[in-house]
Amino acid sequence: MQTKERKGGSIWGILRFDEADEEFELLESERGRPKAYTRPEKPAPREKPAPASRFLFENERRLRQEFRCNVNSDILLRRFRLGQSVDALAVCMNGMASGGMINDFILRQGMRPGCMDGAAGSPARFAMDNIFAQQESECTADWQTIKMAILDGKTAVFIEGDELAVLMDTRGYEKRGVENAQNEKVVKGPQEGFNESLRTNITLLRRIIKTDDFVCEFQHAGGKNNVQLAIAYRQDVVNPNLLKEVKRRLHNVRARMLTSDGAIERMTERYGLSPLPQVLSTERPDRTAAHIMQGHVAVLLEGSPTASVMPATLFTLMATSEDSYMRRPPGAILRMVRYIGAGMSILLPGYFMAVAMHHQGMLSTETIVTIIQSREMVFLPLGLEMLFLLWVFQLLREAGVRVPGSVGQSIGIIGGLVLGQAAVSANMVSTVVLIIAALAGLGNFTIPDYSTQIAASYFRIFLLLLGWAGGLLGLSAGIVVLTVWMARLKSYGVPFLAPVAPKTFKGGSGGMRGRINRRQRPVDYINTWEEGQ
Amino acid sequence: MKLNQGKIGRQEIVCAVAITACASGIFTPGSQTLYANGNPAYISMLLSAGLALCVFGLLVRAMRRTGAHTLWELLRFGLGSVAGRIAATFYTLLFILSAASLLSRFTLLLGQFVFPLTPGWNILIYLLAAACVPAWLGLEGLGRAARLLGWPMLFSLTLALILAAGNYEPYRLAPFPGDSMPGLAGFGARGTLFFLPALLGLLVVAKGAHGLSNAGKAGYIANAVSGVLAAVCRLCLGMSYSYKDLAQMHSPMYRLATGFKAEGYFSRLDVLLVFGWAMGGMLAAAFYIYAASYLYTNAFGQEDIRPSVAVFSGVAGAAALAPHLQFAPPEAVMAFLSAYGYILMVAPLLMAAMIARAHVKRRRRARGGAV
């Protein structure tokens, strides 16, 4: 009987007392063999398809049948005579392969009279070596590989009398060009962002990391839609245990369809119920490259314009690439502003609620009078008023994100102004509470990572409810619980609050922006190979 | 096994133990007994911390000699399986009572000064939740959070002491040092009840602190920090009020903080300071509950710590609520525990350590004979 592996996402997992946690540690004490407490789930045994046939008609029949050619007109099967003497069949996917490349470098070359003269041994190998002018080509008889190659946009050429097929890279599908990063804009530094093409994304990384130890391993992503992913890392730097763990978790990914790296993140992270991300998702090649240089591992998925960098800590999620492009004092101040903004976003509504509802004695007379005057005609209780405003803020934000371009911006501005003004005029909310909610919302936008922004808004509401119910006592209890919970969180074996708690950096700057020359060393908390030597 | 222990570094464990000992040393002692016959608390705190350190040092040494990795292993080695389990149950109760007494003190403090109209159980729910959840989440989270939240506690303590500096009058410390030297020594010995449980907790979770050697060093540092801080607080209190006034005060630290009145927007800073201390108190109670659960789990062969954490949190909550419901143990029992509790606490440990050492010596001799 196969043991069922426990998934971190189950809410019932919290209350189960009979199963050990699947835990992976990357602390210094845990060096050596990786501790994979559970074995990777074995894929269900699949019957291996028979290899390609020596007879062309048999291969053609099989292809027509398996690609459902009676109803599917996307598949192109082109028969021709190689060197005007041997029957051959070129197969490709319409739209995925470039017609020009097939015409110029396969058909035109192959139809030249006498080009097969002197062929000895395997005709496919001979054709690949002497006729087809393609830089990336291979010979295989494996039927699954041939099918996958055709689906990927490559062209397969079958030759009568040979079971080997020549696979040639003729991919020429339409794709978006390299454009500016949309969600991680910077003033200084490179502007380009990833697009949906895996090859282009890797090229963008290779343009930045020109080292011989930079490796991109391709593998099947695990979805039934047969997309590929690439695991990018520096072999001389990366911690082998981290790499093994990343591969182990990726090996367990099973999904009907994978179109975004977000799905892979969800399926590989340990704490599935955590609102905080345990992987950094970035659309910037320079940011990904910087992390790879430091010893992180990046996973890029075909069709996804973002890279997943692992492990990620809170301080990774709070940093932007621009921090490194600025001089140290402004970089450090910017980062500090961001931390203060995040703190304000999470704590301010709860703190205001606690003080206004339970500890009025802490406020000066002027402040109390201002609050009372502004709430004179408001019919909603203070807590509901704050919750209502935070809800409106979330609505505006969601609407602004979903509605395209300038209309989205207009919704944000006009909605904010009009709704705010209207709500004050209708005595639904007071101006003081409006300002508090707006400040909290503004602070939320200082958090660079989108998933962390969302997590911060959950924390804000959690602390608001505690502050409303229990005053500063509730708020401090909430802070303790949240801090302990975050401190316990791990991303691929690395504590989420590293390098501050635990303190792992050696003379570094922790969460703040350090000196550039210090970055010549890899980050301490990953225990990289380079550092260990 | 699901003991939620993991591994934490020296800084984290030092912070967790120092916060626990500090909270116990500063907020748990009753003013009436402490200031009954003079104002020597600032010296007796140092004495208590020193005595606790001696006992801790002896235990660490005994554990090193016997090869025990945790307190439970020492108890089992020294007292045997049955007596060891009885002793482990006793120390589990000690940890639970230490947590309960902290929770009770903070409930009383907050109920009296910050939420005067709120029933005690209502306040206790928040404190208990903030102690139970971290203990449930385990030592790693607890230790790392202690490293982060230790700063607010330290800041709020030192700020209270600095802001009250205008009220300090050294003459209030007289008579020096208290009424008599034996009395001072007695206070010092009794005070180990406040410092030693945190150190014992450290020995219980020594495996999670990268072993006994690291735990030993962490214990010395944490005890020194907490002893000095507690003594400084008592010194400042002693300089602010006469011992007769202090004996009447329920929460002298809060009174010290209210001594400072800021103008304008920063008025009533004392409430903020109290919540800085309360966060420390929550973490300290969580550490006690975790240590109790871990010891019990080890001693009785449980594989999961979480049921114990839930039960012990409930017991600690009930014990903390007892004084608020006018339910208290008989006076004589309390007086006995207050006077001789430290002996009850230390005796089984020392006995286990001595017997264990004797075992080791006998073994060595036997080995020598065989050779």
Side-chain angles (χ1 to χ4, degrees):
Chain A
M1 211 173 114
Q2 197 179 4
T3 317
K4 198 177 175 189
E5 194 178 334
R6 189 189 143 184
K7 300 291 175 200
S10 163
I11 195 160
W12 302 111
I14 300 169
L15 299 169
R16 290 197 68 162
F17 299 128
D18 57 339
E19 284 185 4
D21 255 354
E22 179 197 352
E23 197 67 81
F24 167 71
E25 295 279 351
L26 206 68
L27 299 177
E28 282 182 31
S29 60
E30 301 290 334
R31 270 195 166 175
R33 291 179 61 201
K35 280 191 174 177
Y37 291 111
T38 52
R39 286 181 187 167
E41 193 182 316
K42 277 187 184 169
R46 276 176 78 175
E47 214 172 283
K48 205 176 175 190
S53 166
R54 296 177 65 232
F55 303 107
L56 204 57
F57 78 92
E58 173 60 26
N59 290 332
E60 187 177 354
R61 187 197 60 77
R62 201 171 163 190
L63 283 167
R64 282 187 188 280
Q65 188 185 351
E66 290 185 14
F67 281 108
R68 280 82 168 163
C69 283
N70 53 340
V71 286
N72 182 12
S73 55
D74 278 352
I75 188 96
L76 290 179
L77 292 103
R78 170 75 159 85
R79 265 185 179 265
F80 64 102
R81 287 180 71 77
L82 202 57
Q84 297 187 346
S85 58
V86 185
D87 280 337
L89 174 72
V91 189
C92 66
M93 196 58 82
N94 196 1
M96 294 286 283
S98 156
M101 283 170 84
I102 296 171
N103 290 341
D104 292 344
F105 304 112
I106 299 175
L107 297 179
R108 189 168 294 160
Q109 301 289 329
M111 287 177 182
R112 275 187 294 122
C115 66
M116 284 295 278
D117 291 352
S122 162
R125 286 205 186 282
F126 180 83
M128 186 178 81
D129 293 342
N130 301 292
I131 301 171
F132 301 131
Q134 277 290 335
Q135 56 157 356
E136 194 184 320
S137 49
E138 60 169 323
C139 278
T140 180
D142 184 53
W143 191 252
Q144 197 60 28
T145 312
I146 295 168
K147 270 176 69 180
M148 285 299 129
I150 295 168
L151 287 168
D152 202 25
K154 292 181 180 175
T155 299
V157 175
F158 295 89
I159 300 167
E160 184 67 41
D162 196 345
E163 60 181 15
L164 292 177
V166 187
L167 302 179
M168 284 163 283
D169 189 2
T170 52
R171 281 174 288 195
Y173 40 78
E174 293 301 318
K175 63 184 182 217
R176 194 161 61 101
V178 177
E179 293 169 7
N180 285 4
Q182 295 294 316
N183 301 317
E184 293 173 74
K185 288 181 178 164
V186 291
V187 179
K188 272 188 168 184
Q191 301 291 332
E192 60 192 12
F194 287 128
N195 66 11
E196 285 77 9
S197 162
L198 185 58
R199 180 51 60 193
T200 310
N201 293 345
I202 289 167
T203 310
L204 290 173
L205 288 177
R206 282 213 178 271
R207 268 174 42 199
I208 304 171
I209 308 173
K210 291 173 181 166
T211 60
D212 55 357
D213 62 346
F214 178 44
V215 175
C216 284
E217 280 186 46
F218 287 85
Q219 67 178 55
H220 183 246
K224 286 192 174 171
N225 56 337
N226 288 326
V227 287
Q228 278 201 318
L229 59 77
I231 306 171
Y233 57 91
R234 279 183 67 200
Q235 198 162 32
D236 289 352
V237 180
V238 73
N239 183 331
N241 292 346
L242 170 67
L243 186 61
K244 264 185 196 170
E245 180 66 10
V246 170
K247 286 181 183 173
R248 189 184 73 84
R249 292 191 191 185
L250 287 172
H251 183 70
N252 288 337
V253 171
R254 298 276 177 275
R256 183 164 289 275
M257 193 171 84
L258 287 173
T259 49
S260 154
D261 63 337
I264 289 187
E265 281 171 32
R266 297 295 92 76
M267 276 181 270
T268 53
E269 61 193 8
R270 164 78 183 79
Y271 302 92
L273 289 174
S274 157
L276 279 166
Q278 291 134 63
V279 166
L280 169 70
S281 185
T282 175
E283 55 175 356
R284 295 186 63 84
D286 58 330
R287 200 173 178 200
T288 312
H291 281 99
I292 291 174
M293 287 300 288
Q294 290 281 338
H296 290 75
V297 177
V299 173
L300 298 107
L301 181 74
E302 196 178 339
S304 174
T306 48
S308 301
V309 178
M310 47 212 56
T313 66
L314 180 68
F315 303 99
T316 325
L317 295 168
M318 288 296 288
T320 66
S321 8
E322 205 166 24
D323 296 349
S324 315
Y325 302 140
M326 302 185 90
R327 281 179 301 117
R328 197 178 170 197
I333 290 168
L334 261 185
R335 201 173 278 190
M336 210 184 294
V337 167
R338 220 172 291 141
Y339 285 125
I340 293 169
M344 208 166 73
S345 158
I346 295 169
L347 293 173
L348 191 63
Y351 179 76
F352 174 78
M353 190 57 60
V355 172
M357 296 286 290
H358 298 273
H359 311 283
Q360 295 92 346
M362 284 176 71
L363 299 170
S364 64
T365 316
E366 296 88 342
T367 318
I368 291 178
V369 169
T370 311
I371 295 171
I372 291 171
Q373 276 177 351
S374 74
R375 296 202 73 251
E376 213 168 9
M377 295 295 287
V378 177
F379 58 87
L380 280 175
L382 189 60
L384 282 184
E385 189 187 341
M386 183 68 88
L387 275 176
F388 169 72
L389 275 176
L390 292 180
W391 170 244
V392 169
F393 178 78
Q394 289 296 333
L395 275 181
L396 282 173
R397 174 202 167 106
E398 193 61 19
V401 171
R402 303 293 158 222
V403 176
S406 53
V407 184
Q409 283 181 1
S410 313
I411 283 184
I413 298 164
I414 298 169
L417 286 174
V418 174
L419 264 178
Q421 186 57 43
V424 171
S425 308
N427 291 327
M428 282 183 79
V429 295
S430 60
T431 43
V432 174
V433 178
L434 189 67
I435 290 168
I436 298 287
L439 278 175
L442 208 59
N444 201 34
F445 283 122
T446 59
I447 301 171
D449 184 70
Y450 183 67
S451 307
T452 316
Q453 278 182 18
I454 293 171
S457 60
Y458 298 153
F459 296 157
R460 182 166 60 221
I461 290 173
F462 171 66
L463 292 178
L464 169 69
L465 292 175
L466 280 174
W468 186 9
L472 285 178
L473 175 63
L475 194 69
S476 39
I479 291 171
V480 168
V481 168
L482 268 184
T483 312
V484 174
W485 175 76
M486 277 203 291
R488 189 219 181 203
L489 206 63
K490 278 181 193 163
S491 164
Y492 286 83
V494 171
F496 190 66
L497 296 182
V500 172
K503 181 176 177 285
T504 60
F505 55 94
K506 292 171 190 162
S509 54
M512 295 313 291
R513 151 91 154 74
R515 272 184 278 170
I516 294 287
N517 57 3
R518 280 206 190 280
R519 296 189 184 189
Q520 288 185 3
R521 287 185 316 196
V523 283
D524 189 34
Y525 55 81
I526 313 181
N527 290 331
T528 55
W529 191 250
E530 192 177 76
E531 186 205 11
Q533 293 193 343
Chain B
M1 294 288 270
K2 183 143 180 53
L3 302 177
N4 282 358
Q5 191 179 35
K7 291 264 190 288
I8 54 174
R10 194 183 295 169
Q11 288 199 6
E12 284 84 41
I13 196 72
V14 164
C15 287
V17 176
I19 286 176
T20 310
C22 248
S24 291
I26 296 170
F27 298 106
T28 316
S31 300
Q32 258 181 338
T33 43
L34 202 60
Y35 297 105
N37 301 312
N39 202 350
Y42 58 99
I43 304 172
S44 71
M45 283 290 153
L46 283 177
L47 265 178
S48 306
L51 279 173
L53 200 67
C54 291
V55 176
F56 176 75
L58 279 174
L59 289 174
V60 169
R61 219 169 151 187
M63 283 168 75
R64 206 171 284 156
R65 291 259 168 107
T66 54
H69 296 106
T70 61
L71 190 69
W72 158 242
E73 286 179 16
L74 178 74
L75 290 174
R76 191 180 53 185
F77 192 75
L79 304 175
S81 208
V82 177
R85 278 187 184 152
I86 294 168
T89 312
F90 172 74
Y91 287 108
T92 302
L93 275 175
L94 174 77
F95 291 134
I96 294 173
L97 285 179
S98 301
S101 103
L102 257 176
L103 292 172
S104 176
R105 284 284 164 183
F106 274 104
T107 307
L108 216 57
L109 194 161
L110 292 168
Q112 207 162 10
F113 298 110
V114 187
F115 300 103
L117 300 175
T118 312
W121 64 267
N122 211 333
I123 297 170
L124 187 70
I125 282 177
Y126 290 97
L127 292 172
L128 196 59
C132 175
V133 175
W136 178 285
L137 290 175
L139 184 68
E140 268 187 324
L142 199 58
R144 287 172 193 153
R147 189 175 183 275
L148 290 174
L149 296 176
W151 294 109
M153 190 190 177
L154 186 68
F155 177 73
S156 53
L157 270 178
T158 43
L159 190 66
L161 300 182
I162 291 167
L163 291 177
N167 302 334
Y168 297 159
E169 296 291 354
Y171 73 85
R172 291 190 181 120
L173 293 174
F176 182 82
D179 59 338
S180 65
M181 288 307 279
L184 185 67
F187 278 127
R190 283 179 211 166
T192 48
L193 268 174
F194 308 119
F195 290 98
L196 194 56
L199 296 173
L200 294 182
L202 171 61
L203 290 181
V204 168
V205 298
K207 264 187 193 169
H210 286 290
L212 188 63
S213 166
N214 197 39
K217 284 173 194 163
Y220 295 136
I221 300 168
N223 192 63
V225 171
S226 54
V228 168
L229 252 176
V232 169
C233 286
R234 292 288 159 191
L235 180 70
C236 294
L237 281 171
M239 287 196 292
S240 301
Y241 305 98
S242 73
Y243 72 92
K244 284 181 182 169
D245 291 337
L246 281 170
Q248 303 300 317
M249 287 181 192
H250 166 253
S251 305
M253 276 306 288
Y254 183 81
R255 295 292 294 272
L256 189 79
T258 48
F260 163 74
K261 285 271 187 277
E263 296 292 323
Y265 293 106
F266 296 103
S267 56
R268 297 295 305 275
L269 202 61
D270 50 293
V271 179
L272 271 184
L273 297 180
V274 166
F275 287 107
W277 308 337
M279 282 203 273
M282 292 167 195
L283 279 178
F287 184 73
Y288 282 135
I289 292 172
Y290 182 82
S293 310
Y294 192 79
L295 182 59
Y296 180 84
T297 309
N298 265 340
F300 291 93
Q302 306 287 311
E303 294 217 326
D304 196 326
I305 199 170
R306 293 173 300 173
S308 312
V309 168
V311 172
F312 293 159
S313 301
V315 174
L321 203 57
H324 302 273
L325 300 175
Q326 314 303 323
F327 173 81
E331 278 291 316
V333 175
M334 290 307 289
F336 176 78
L337 284 178
S338 169
Y340 304 108
Y342 68 97
I343 299 174
L344 277 178
M345 178 176 64
V346 171
L349 285 173
L350 292 182
M351 202 188 297
M354 283 192 298
I355 296 171
R357 229 181 136 181
H359 273 311
V360 171
K361 271 188 184 172
R362 208 178 307 145
R363 257 194 221 166
R364 275 187 195 158
R365 243 180 261 149
R367 261 188 227 152
V371 169

